[in-house]
Amino acid sequence: MNIALVAPRFSEGTTLGGAETLIRETALNLADSGHNVTVLSTCATNHFTWENELPAGEKQFENIKVILFKVNEERDLDLFYQIQTKISNFEEVTFEEEELWHKNNVSSDNLYEHLRNNKSYDKIIISPYLFGLIYYTAQICPEKTILLPCLHDEAFAYLQTIKDMFQRVHSYIFNTEPEMNLAKKLYDIDTSKATVIGMTIEDFKTEPEDFKNKHNINSPFILYCGRREALKGTPMLIDYFAAFRKRTGIDLRLVLTGKGDFETDEKTRKHIIDVGFVSEEDKHNAMADAVALCQPSQNESLSIVILESWLAGKPVIVNGQCEVLQHQCKRSNAGLWFSNYPEFEMELKLLLDNPKLSKTLAENGREFVISNYSKAAIQEKLNSAIEL
């Protein structure tokens, strides 16, 4: 088949985020299966400004074609943020306001024109759901459009325009069963048109103690990988970490990889090791050296880093308020989840005091990832999804 994947951003090297990683791996897996794959994306790299930083045009990335289009520059950002604030606060917005929010979101008329003029695509996969680019793309050829939404239980998911988009497209690819169940609950979709897939997680080797030695870390540490922002739960994790040190007296460190500022008191900051963006090798070595990976986010459709942590040989502690994360831990029997600080403290102490339990959880996780997220398993599911 000739398949187009539409996404607001496309990353070739250092990943921009989980959704971008998923899109890239989906494109590569489809191409490896013998399909002709074209990624249609924008010239933007910054998900705050959406400025056109990359040159528009066509290029080759491994065995897929990538075409970048300029983002529409005439956007009323004041109006966009005004409406977005209302949506985020679950305030009532009109259908017209929803349309204005999409219109002034990241969008690309040049990309839409390309799709209208190129009828040779057999399937169009669009992702993730909450961008104007995706909303308008879904309207061009809905009969052959597959939505890979990366859906979260958040304010944006409850918009009437989003429900319309879900009901308009031909079929769906979900990362987990809870994500699919949420879509069924919110939009009454036909789940016979849905496939639960996820993405390929390649096995890797780690060097024990390499990360600790490189960063001169002499104490046990927990690890967080990702953006530092409220939506990802990092303020809560830092608060919990500070409380843990104060209440238990245990000399524990918190290592942060990724990007973004964070706030805390000076005393706590001394025990936080911020290494910023790191290579995949360094990230995996950090996972292998950690007591556990902590994933405090409340909104996830699939957590790639907890799958990687299991491959690296370490268990995870996740936010139990996120049904997807709790589901991943239950299915694998490889992680613990918390709903409040006392549970967080109890679980972290349990892992610190019981290396045997930690090892068993990690082994369960590794087996789970290899069984469910191998290239062969993912490609088989993808081929089934595009034939629905």
Side-chain angles (χ1 to χ4, degrees), residues 170-187:
H170 175 265
S171 57
Y172 317 89
I173 294 174
F174 294 104
N175 291 311
T176 57
E177 290 180 9
E179 183 195 6
M180 180 179 69
N181 293 338
L182 176 62
K184 173 66 176 175
K185 174 185 173 183
L186 294 178
Y187 316 122

Side-chain angles (χ1 to χ4, degrees), residues 172-357:
Y172 317 89
I173 294 174
F174 294 104
N175 291 311
T176 57
E177 290 180 9
E179 183 195 6
M180 180 179 69
N181 293 338
L182 176 62
K184 173 66 176 175
K185 174 185 173 183
L186 294 178
Y187 316 122
D188 193 29
I189 64 167
D190 180 1
T191 53
S192 69
K193 291 286 189 177
T195 310
V196 177
I197 301 179
M199 63 170 278
T200 299
I201 307 293
E202 298 280 6
D203 198 5
F204 52 81
K205 293 183 178 180
T206 60
E207 293 293 332
E209 303 296 315
D210 183 87
F211 184 83
K212 278 188 171 182
N213 293 335
K214 185 174 183 178
H215 295 278
N216 195 27
I217 303 173
N218 299 313
S219 303
F221 67 88
I222 54 175
L223 177 68
Y224 171 78
C225 299
R227 299 195 305 273
R228 297 82 173 273
E229 56 185 52
L231 289 174
K232 290 295 183 181
T234 44
M236 177 183 67
L237 176 60
I238 291 170
D239 288 345
Y240 280 15
F241 167 72
F244 182 87
R245 282 187 56 89
K246 183 177 181 179
R247 282 176 47 83
T248 67
I250 296 174
D251 184 22
L252 184 73
R253 298 290 190 272
L254 170 61
V255 172
L256 305 176
T257 74
K259 185 177 181 181
D261 298 326
F262 61 93
E263 294 183 2
T264 188
D265 59 86
E266 186 176 340
K267 184 177 180 181
T268 301
R269 188 176 289 271
K270 290 191 300 184
H271 304 293
I272 297 176
I273 302 168
D274 183 1
V275 296
F277 273 124
V278 295
S279 67
E280 289 295 290
E281 181 182 6
D282 277 352
K283 181 180 72 173
H284 294 155
N285 285 336
M287 291 172 172
D289 285 349
V291 173
L293 177 106
C294 291
Q295 173 54 290
S297 175
Q298 191 170 333
N299 290 317
E300 295 292 324
S301 63
L302 174 72
S303 177
I304 299 168
V305 290
I306 71 173
L307 300 176
E308 291 177 313
S309 183
W310 288 331
L311 285 181
K314 288 300 167 71
V316 300
I317 300 177
V318 307
N319 188 340
Q321 301 298 319
C322 178
E323 189 177 352
V324 166
L325 296 179
Q326 188 178 136
H327 177 76
Q328 284 185 262
C329 289
K330 285 181 176 179
R331 280 191 66 204
S332 61
N333 194 22
L336 306 174
W337 56 93
F338 60 88
S339 299
N340 49 48
Y341 173 76
E343 291 179 1
F344 174 85
E345 178 182 304
M346 178 184 68
E347 292 164 1
L348 188 47
K349 286 182 68 178
L350 188 65
L351 294 180
L352 285 165
D353 295 339
N354 295 271
K356 186 175 180 180
L357 171 64

Side-chain angles (χ1 to χ4, degrees), residues 100-117:
L100 286 170
W101 179 71
H102 289 297
K103 179 181 178 181
N104 292 289
N105 200 327
V106 58
S107 196
S108 175
D109 290 339
N110 292 338
L111 191 154
Y112 309 146
E113 183 180 4
H114 171 86
L115 277 177
R116 292 190 187 97
N117 294 336

